[in-house]
Amino acid sequence: MKNHSSFIQTPMLPVSKLRYLLLPAVWLLLALPHAHAAVHASDAEGRRVELSAPATRIVALAPHIVENLSAIGAQDTIVGTVQYSDYPASAKRIPRLGGVGSVSLEHIVALQPDLIILWGSGTPTGLRSSIERLKLPYFVDEIRSLNELGNSFEALGALTGHSAEGTLAARQLTQSLTQREAIQAAQTTDDRPGVFLQLWDQPLQSIGGEHLLNEVIERCGGQSITRSISGLAPQVSMEAVLADDPALIIVESPAQAKHWHNYPRLQATRNDNIVIINPDLLHRPTLRLLDGMRQICERIAPIRNKADLN
């Protein structure tokens, strides 16, 4: 019979040293469930988008989507985007797949994305159909109100593992709007100056009743003269603008502003209420829209104050 005392025994490690050896393994086990946890969010169409893990390879098919992903700290997840995705400056380094309406499906597939973010009203229906046919995961982003902008931040945050940052961006938007509402409450007049926002000159286009900027103008105390026209960016006639005689005209370039001086009888021209605003601050539903909104409010306020005095 063998003497058990002659067996080779493994020396016991002190508890303090054993703790240091086990800690990295414990941290790894704790981190794994979070790193690979399934995520989900509802898109602009109410579709529940589910991913087995937060997206790390995103194709963003509109400039505003790139900007909003950057705002929540998820720019490094974008592997491809479209022309004019130029904000923030670092976004210019993201590979381009073409224009908003001319993206190659082959280029998208080659990037092996785990999420494609479509622009609801800007992505061609044919491209979307192809993405659906290939069963590629996609999220539809379409922002028609300021509340939906906040929802988009939170949804993008959830799908990229940046929920806290998405909630923070949505909260920043809400706080800014609350401050604006307080300013509006101090203005007593119920008269809303008519506003014409020019999107294009040839043909003349403005915002229709479904456009987000109607809400922006209304929150500033004005009223778009084209709000009753259906659609997002309808064509309008010069005769209709002259008949409505807006108190404020918003354009996006000096050339457009100069054009309106050919109509000296217009209220806006007569009172020097033609304002140039960077279109990126208005046409991209991002946090920078708050800056565009501030500029609109600053031009509407004196018109309303003048109405109070009268």
Side-chain angles (χ1 to χ4, degrees), residues 93-112:
R93 297 193 294 268
I94 301 171
R96 297 302 193 261
L97 304 175
V100 170
S102 58
V103 177
S104 165
L105 176 65
E106 289 74 16
H107 289 163
I108 293 177
V109 173
L111 289 173
Q112 299 181 321

Side-chain angles (χ1 to χ4, degrees), residues 220-290:
C220 287
Q223 184 170 262
S224 169
I225 66 171
T226 56
R227 68 194 181 284
S228 61
I229 305 176
S230 62
L232 286 174
Q235 293 185 26
V236 297
S237 68
M238 180 60 70
E239 291 74 18
V241 178
L242 295 175
D244 282 317
D245 192 19
L248 176 67
I249 295 175
I250 301 170
V251 297
E252 56 185 53
S253 71
Q256 289 183 355
K258 184 178 180 181
H259 166 77
W260 289 103
H261 290 292
N262 295 325
Y263 303 91
R265 293 186 179 181
L266 273 175
Q267 183 183 173
T269 306
R270 197 169 62 245
N271 296 325
D272 195 27
N273 281 327
I274 300 173
V275 59
I276 303 169
I277 300 180
N278 180 350
D280 288 352
L281 303 183
L282 297 179
H283 306 324
R284 298 183 184 184
T286 68
L287 284 178
R288 286 196 297 164
L289 179 61
L290 293 172

Side-chain angles (χ1 to χ4, degrees), residues 19-91:
R19 184 187 301 124
Y20 287 117
L21 287 174
L22 290 176
L23 275 177
V26 172
W27 289 335
L28 180 60
L29 288 172
L30 289 174
L32 281 175
H34 296 285
H36 298 286
V39 295
H40 64 84
S42 295
D43 69 8
E45 298 180 350
R47 297 171 54 256
R48 180 182 171 90
V49 179
E50 298 184 11
L51 303 175
S52 59
T56 59
R57 296 186 61 80
I58 292 176
V59 168
L61 295 181
H64 80 270
I65 296 171
V66 171
E67 187 169 335
N68 288 341
L69 285 170
S70 299
I72 63 171
Q75 182 179 308
D76 61 350
T77 66
I78 308 172
V79 294
T81 187
V82 293
Q83 190 178 13
Y84 302 121
S85 298
D86 54 9
Y87 191 89
S90 55

